[in-house]
Amino acid sequence: MLWLALRLPLLPLEVFPQRPPPSAVIASERIVACDPSATQGGVCPGMRLADAWALLPGLTVCERSGEREQRQLAALACWSGRFTSEVCLQPPAALLLEISGSLRLFGGLAALCAQVESGCAAQGHAAAIAVAPTPLAALWLAAEKPGSRCLSPAALPAALADLSLAVLDLPPAQAARAAGFGVRSLGELLRLPRAGLARRLGAAAVTTLARGLGEVADPRPRFAFPDTFAEHLELPARVHDAESLLFAARRLLQRCCGWLAARAAGVRELRLEMAHERHERQPASALELHFAAPTRDGERIERVLRERLGRLALTAPVIALRLVAERVEALGGRERGLFGDAAGGEGVAMLVERLQARLGSEAVQGLAALPAHRPECASRLVPPGAGSAVPAAGARPCWLLPQAEPLAEVGGRPQRGGPLELLSGPERIESGWWDEGEAGAVGDVRRDYFVALSPRREWLWIFRSAQGWFLHGLFS
């Protein structure tokens, strides 16, 4: 196994997006985390609040919120589902990803780590990353040697040797005892006999060391991806323009796509809810996104969202977003062609989604064939992709005219820019007496249909009846 540890040292601060600089988060009247402006002013974690205010009287302070941090950690776990479904929460501010099965998919360890780092930054978090064969070793390296890559258990003692004893998070009494007999680093501790360590520091400390080195198992509960996706994002400032919401909504989309990848599922519908500034008097607006086929492709979803936001006029400034996916469908791995082209049908689905986003859902329809012999009754409009295949009695054009168009006749031959060449036919279609006289009904018909070729090389579907020749459809 290979574990990637993702530590978020500024998570207590990052869960407050609307903080003005300089700002800091406190707990028990001490600084827990501070932004770069506060750091430049001399404030640092562990400092008393009174001392921090003495240095920076304008320091904005937020009380630490464990609930926000836990919620944000779960949101990041959903996002990391795009890399692996084996994710462990490590409260208060770390995640563990088991990545041994993902290396080939993402082009190797370096490429995977680069994507994790850039993706985490896009989610608005500063992260320290390290890789090791055991979860504890990965966490220790991320804490003190971010960027470390240790790939084999045999190399662990050397990789961990420079770390301080602080990574073990020993109780104060044991930490003082270890300092008392002159041990300063993990390497020095590992050189001591284990039996003596167990007597001096307790069996728990020795077991922790053994787990870090992979000498004993370190089972950890996996993160349970929720059955439905509903993520909330508080915006750092009021947004007046709908298109400007795309940047923030992209974070929610990436989390949703990671959640879908971990569940091997896709969505046909998503709902983006926009909370307005005075939400007591202004209810949240909602934007429904529809897709022609189940998808978890972030670029495809974002393309549809961009089209919809471009046509949206906000009724009031937006202060928060919420993305909801209530129904999912099983969606296996994506298959590509030999030359990297899109899988069959995917291009059509994306085109349909884009046309619906631009023109409206009602303007783009599919056709379902019906078992009827009269052409006007042989199809009906359905949502794209919902049509059913019914074998046709003969050749039928895809484009049927709403009303048959009369054709001129010269010397017994139908004309359309010149004489038409009859290629096949006739095919007799007749009867329909049962709806004769009903409003909007086709009624009783008696027609002989032909496939004809025009002088402009058009393939036409024409018929002859007692009233003459008519054009009824076009093949091409």
Side-chain angles (χ1 to χ4, degrees):
M1 302 182 86
L2 195 61
W3 292 89
L4 185 149
L6 195 63
R7 278 191 177 272
L8 308 164
L10 295 180
L11 183 64
L13 189 69
E14 291 162 344
V15 296
F16 296 100
Q18 295 181 346
R19 61 184 193 282
S23 59
V25 172
I26 63 166
S28 303
E29 296 296 310
R30 287 191 176 273
I31 302 295
V32 175
C34 54
D35 65 7
S37 299
T39 302
Q40 290 175 2
V43 178
C44 63
M47 179 180 285
R48 292 192 310 153
L49 177 59
D51 297 336
W53 267 336
L55 291 171
L56 285 176
L59 181 69
T60 302
V61 173
C62 304
E63 190 70 32
R64 185 172 189 176
S65 171
E67 183 183 352
R68 280 179 178 243
E69 293 173 28
Q70 187 67 24
R71 194 165 56 236
Q72 189 63 19
L73 208 57
L76 276 177
C78 285
W79 164 78
S80 61
R82 62 188 309 165
F83 302 108
T84 174
S85 59
E86 300 287 318
V87 180
C88 303
L89 299 185
Q90 191 66 29
L95 287 177
L96 282 166
L97 281 62
E98 204 291 301
I99 57 170
S100 59
S102 307
L103 297 179
R104 185 175 179 184
L105 177 64
F106 288 89
L109 180 60
L112 175 59
C113 291
Q115 289 192 43
V116 171
E117 282 185 302
S118 63
C120 204
Q123 288 292 312
H125 294 286
I129 291 176
V131 177
T134 66
L136 268 181
L139 288 169
W140 294 344
L141 289 170
E144 293 204 350
K145 293 172 67 177
S148 298
R149 312 279 190 270
C150 179
L151 305 184
S152 72
L156 273 176
L160 302 177
D162 297 337
L163 303 183
S164 71
L165 296 187
V167 298
L168 296 177
D169 198 18
L170 295 172
Q174 294 178 359
R177 199 172 303 148
F181 52 78
V183 174
R184 296 289 183 271
S185 69
L186 212 54
E188 294 173 352
L189 194 67
L190 291 174
R191 284 195 288 271
L192 298 178
R194 299 289 177 89
L197 276 181
R199 286 196 302 274
R200 293 180 175 185
L201 301 181
V206 175
T207 303
T208 300
L209 277 177
R211 285 177 175 167
L213 295 172
E215 296 170 350
V216 297
D218 188 7
R220 290 171 179 268
R222 302 299 195 260
F223 173 69
F225 289 88
D227 293 334
T228 58
F229 182 87
E231 281 292 331
H232 177 89
L233 182 66
E234 192 177 338
L235 302 180
R238 294 177 298 173
V239 176
H240 299 262
D241 180 28
E243 289 186 270
S244 302
L245 292 173
L246 182 63
F247 180 80
R250 192 177 289 130
R251 288 186 182 178
L252 294 175
L253 289 181
Q254 290 170 351
R255 294 175 194 172
C256 182
C257 291
W259 171 75
L260 289 169
R263 291 175 55 89
V267 289
R268 285 181 184 270
E269 297 176 356
L270 280 174
R271 184 173 70 255
L272 181 68
E273 298 175 352
M274 294 162 279
H276 298 289
E277 187 175 22
R278 298 174 181 172
H279 56 87
E280 295 88 357
R281 288 179 289 177
Q282 180 75 33
S285 305
L287 203 59
E288 302 283 348
L289 306 180
H290 299 277
F291 305 96
T295 182
R296 59 171 178 267
D297 185 338
E299 294 182 5
R300 180 174 168 184
I301 297 174
E302 184 181 328
R303 191 180 305 120
V304 174
L305 178 59
R306 183 186 296 112
E307 297 283 356
R308 295 296 307 275
L309 289 175
R311 300 170 56 232
L312 180 68
L314 296 177
T315 56
V318 177
I319 58 172
L321 297 176
R322 185 169 180 261
L323 187 67
V324 181
E326 295 176 336
R327 290 188 296 274
V328 301
E329 298 180 32
L331 183 64
R334 185 178 181 182
E335 295 182 358
R336 287 186 174 273
L338 180 62
F339 301 104
D341 50 328
E346 191 171 287
V348 175
M350 288 192 289
L351 174 63
V352 169
E353 291 159 8
R354 196 162 190 174
L355 289 174
Q356 285 182 325
R358 288 193 176 186
L359 307 176
S361 300
E362 300 76 15
V364 183
Q365 299 285 346
L367 278 178
L370 300 175
H373 67 286
R374 291 173 293 180
E376 294 88 341
C377 306
S379 64
R380 63 183 173 87
L381 296 178
V382 295
S388 57
V390 175
R396 296 290 183 269
C398 294
W399 186 358
L400 196 69
L401 300 182
Q403 294 292 332
E405 178 183 320
L407 297 175
E409 181 177 346
V410 177
R413 295 184 64 182
Q415 307 286 313
R416 180 179 169 84
L420 299 182
E421 178 184 355
L422 302 183
L423 301 178
S424 66
E427 176 191 354
R428 170 62 62 92
I429 293 178
E430 65 176 335
S431 192
W433 50 267
W434 48 86
D435 59 7
E436 181 76 21
E438 294 182 9
V442 179
D444 197 9
V445 299
R446 183 169 298 159
R447 304 167 180 166
D448 289 329
Y449 278 87
F450 299 83
V451 177
L453 185 65
S454 76
R456 293 191 297 175
R457 316 311 291 173
E458 296 168 311
W459 286 62
L460 310 175
W461 201 43
I462 65 174
F463 70 82
R464 181 177 56 197
S465 67
Q467 290 76 32
W469 289 94
F470 292 86
L471 172 65
H472 207 178
L474 293 91
F475 291 95
S476 65

